[in-house]
Amino acid sequence: MVSILYDEVFTLYDIEVGHFDQEVRNAKRQQLLSNVLMVVHDAYDTMLMHLYSNTVKSFKTSLEQSLNEGREYVASIHLCSQSCLREFDEGCEDAAIQQSGWNANKFRKRLICNMLSEVMAKYENQITHAIANTVESLLEASERNTWALVRDVFECNTEKAISEFSDAAASFELRSSEIDSQVHHLREFARNLLMMKAREEADAGRVLKLMMDRSKQVFDNYENSMPWYKLETNLDEIERKALSKSLRILSIMAAIRYDEMPDQIENVLYSSLMDRIVLNSSLQKTPMEAVLDLLALDTWEEVSQNSTTLLKPEDSKSLWMMFIEEIKPMVTDVKSHQDARKKTRSYAAAAAGVAVTGVAAVVAGPAVVVSLGIAIFRRAIMRM
């Protein structure tokens, strides 16, 4: 439309200036063209911007409608993107000014970038929902195979998202280098998400709470499985089991293991802390200061280059010392319960002995002995 108007204007111009010198006519004609294009340039950009905005809205609306109709996401992206780009190209063609040499490439690229951002956001959300909560649960569980499970979750969901994204991105006729760049971004997003969740879980306060909860679980299991009449398990064994499980949490939280390369973090922690520090001071054979040098470092030795440190050796040492102090009341409480059960068994044994004596006395005749035995037995039962 604008091009036709241009042709009409310049046809009239050529007629009016036909008697002027050719060189002068051409120079003035070019000057007029430049002035006219300058006047309409902003209007042209505004028209394309309006067309761009409407196409973006149309894309989002049609995509939502297609998904609601039950189409798969990749198929919906292909259908809606092609339809919207075709409408955009037709609108640009109608708005084109042939005499200007302008084109709508920058607006078309911007439109594709916007559509691609919509697709990228979808797969970023997919990765977030698939990885974040699962990784958090796995790290809180802190079992021996935690990082192997985390890697499986990370790699499986990341590759799935990348594959689907690549299929969807094919709708935009991008160069392979552009798709590779987008895939790299998505992979880095997943990696950064994993690192963020791991750092959240490796917060000193959270790790300390996990260690305390794990120790309490061990002691509670021991308490609940120990009836008053059963012989006690060596409390040192229970303490060591609780410490061992808590130290495993510390070793798991110490670094992100991105690959299957083994490391010595757990061994260093065990040899430096578990094998030399115990809660019962009477059994402590090595001064605590003598074992701390092994952990007075900023980095873990013999760790894969692909690993990322979350807790430095010196931080792990400090956290363990805090844990040892925090757990002392818990151990004292368990020891008190154990002593109480021992006393209960002693009273019960004494009562049982008197009761047997009382039964024998019944046969012999003295009723007072029987009464005494029954009274002692009742007192023992009340102490249980």
Side-chain angles (χ1 to χ4, degrees):
M1 182 68 180
V2 178
S3 295
I4 296 174
L5 182 60
Y6 263 91
D7 289 338
E8 292 177 354
V9 169
F10 280 95
T11 298
L12 292 174
Y13 170 83
D14 291 337
I15 294 173
E16 291 292 332
V17 299
H19 59 282
F20 285 96
D21 180 74
Q22 180 69 36
E23 186 175 343
V24 173
R25 289 202 314 268
N26 290 342
K28 293 297 182 180
R29 193 179 197 280
Q30 186 60 42
Q31 183 179 357
L32 176 61
L33 177 61
S34 297
N35 290 339
V36 171
L37 291 178
M38 187 180 300
V39 170
V40 300
H41 186 271
D42 289 344
Y44 175 77
D45 278 354
T46 300
M47 187 182 303
L48 290 187
M49 188 64 194
H50 180 70
L51 180 60
Y52 159 81
S53 299
N54 286 344
T55 307
V56 169
K57 293 178 182 177
S58 176
F59 172 73
K60 293 181 178 180
T61 301
S62 60
L63 177 60
E64 182 178 358
Q65 182 178 353
S66 179
L67 293 173
N68 290 337
E69 291 173 356
R71 288 190 182 90
E72 293 184 353
Y73 186 79
V74 173
S76 296
I77 286 292
H78 181 74
L79 177 67
C80 298
S81 63
Q82 294 304 304
S83 173
C84 289
L85 285 172
R86 185 167 53 252
E87 291 179 8
F88 179 80
D89 290 340
E90 291 172 356
C92 290
E93 187 176 346
D94 292 339
I97 302 174
Q98 296 176 358
Q99 296 84 349
S100 67
W102 299 334
N103 61 60
N105 284 346
K106 67 176 183 179
F107 288 95
R108 195 177 196 277
K109 289 180 179 179
R110 185 175 176 182
L111 176 61
I112 290 176
C113 183
N114 187 289
M115 292 178 176
L116 204 57
S117 296
E118 189 81 14
V119 178
M120 179 65 73
K122 190 270 182 186
Y123 287 106
E124 286 179 349
N125 288 334
Q126 178 175 309
I127 288 175
T128 299
H129 290 311
I131 291 179
N133 291 336
T134 305
V135 168
E136 181 178 334
S137 299
L138 289 172
L139 290 177
E140 287 181 355
S142 292
E143 301 296 340
R144 284 193 180 278
N145 61 341
T146 289
W147 283 111
L149 295 175
V150 168
R151 285 194 299 272
D152 287 344
V153 170
F154 172 77
E155 292 170 3
C156 178
N157 287 284
T158 300
E159 293 306 318
K160 181 176 183 292
I162 286 175
S163 176
E164 293 178 6
F165 172 82
S166 298
D167 291 341
S171 303
F172 302 104
E173 301 177 358
L174 300 174
R175 295 192 300 270
S176 59
S177 60
E178 292 176 310
I179 294 180
D180 290 343
S181 176
Q182 296 294 325
V183 166
H184 176 73
H185 168 82
L186 199 56
R187 198 182 299 278
E188 284 300 302
F189 173 85
R191 188 182 180 93
N192 290 336
L193 174 66
L194 174 58
M195 184 178 297
M196 181 189 71
K197 295 304 298 182
R199 290 194 184 282
E200 286 179 1
E201 293 304 311
D203 173 75
R206 287 195 179 194
V207 175
L208 181 60
K209 184 178 184 304
L210 281 176
M211 294 167 69
M212 293 294 295
D213 290 345
R214 190 62 54 87
S215 294
K216 186 176 186 304
Q217 184 181 46
V218 172
F219 286 128
D220 285 348
N221 290 341
Y222 165 70
E223 292 279 289
N224 295 334
S225 64
M226 187 58 61
W228 65 270
Y229 54 82
K230 187 176 180 180
L231 291 177
E232 296 285 345
T233 303
N234 189 331
L235 186 57
D236 290 339
E237 295 179 13
I238 306 302
E239 291 176 16
R240 190 168 184 83
K241 182 178 180 181
L243 291 175
S244 177
K245 287 184 174 293
S246 298
L247 195 59
R248 181 177 299 159
I249 293 175
L250 191 58
S251 69
I252 289 170
M253 294 297 188
I256 302 175
R257 280 76 159 188
Y258 287 111
D259 55 35
E260 299 179 5
M261 291 290 292
D263 58 65
Q264 298 300 314
I265 293 178
E266 186 172 0
N267 291 338
V268 169
L269 288 173
Y270 269 70
S271 62
S272 300
L273 301 174
M274 274 292 295
D275 292 345
R276 303 192 186 189
I277 299 177
V278 293
L279 294 180
N280 190 338
S281 58
S282 64
L283 300 177
Q284 188 167 321
K285 299 178 181 179
T286 305
M288 189 176 296
E289 292 79 4
V291 302
L292 299 184
D293 289 342
L294 293 175
L295 296 176
L297 302 171
D298 287 333
T299 58
W300 297 101
E301 296 182 351
E302 300 183 30
V303 173
S304 169
Q305 293 181 350
N306 291 327
S307 297
T308 299
T309 297
L310 298 173
L311 293 171
K312 297 178 181 179
E314 56 186 1
D315 295 333
S316 300
K317 174 189 65 182
S318 299
L319 193 54
W320 180 257
M321 295 301 104
M322 291 173 57
F323 167 70
I324 291 297
E325 291 301 316
E326 292 285 338
I327 203 178
K328 283 181 178 179
M330 190 184 302
V331 176
T332 301
D333 191 45
V334 174
K335 184 69 167 61
S336 298
H337 291 171
Q338 187 183 66
D339 292 341
R341 285 192 296 271
K342 288 180 180 179
K343 290 181 180 179
T344 299
R345 283 197 300 274
S346 297
Y347 281 117
V354 172
V356 170
T357 303
V359 171
V362 169
V363 177
V368 66
V369 178
V370 175
S371 299
L372 178 61
I374 293 173
I376 295 175
F377 186 76
R378 284 177 177 172
R379 284 199 300 272
I381 292 298
M382 291 177 65
R383 291 176 180 270
M384 295 179 189

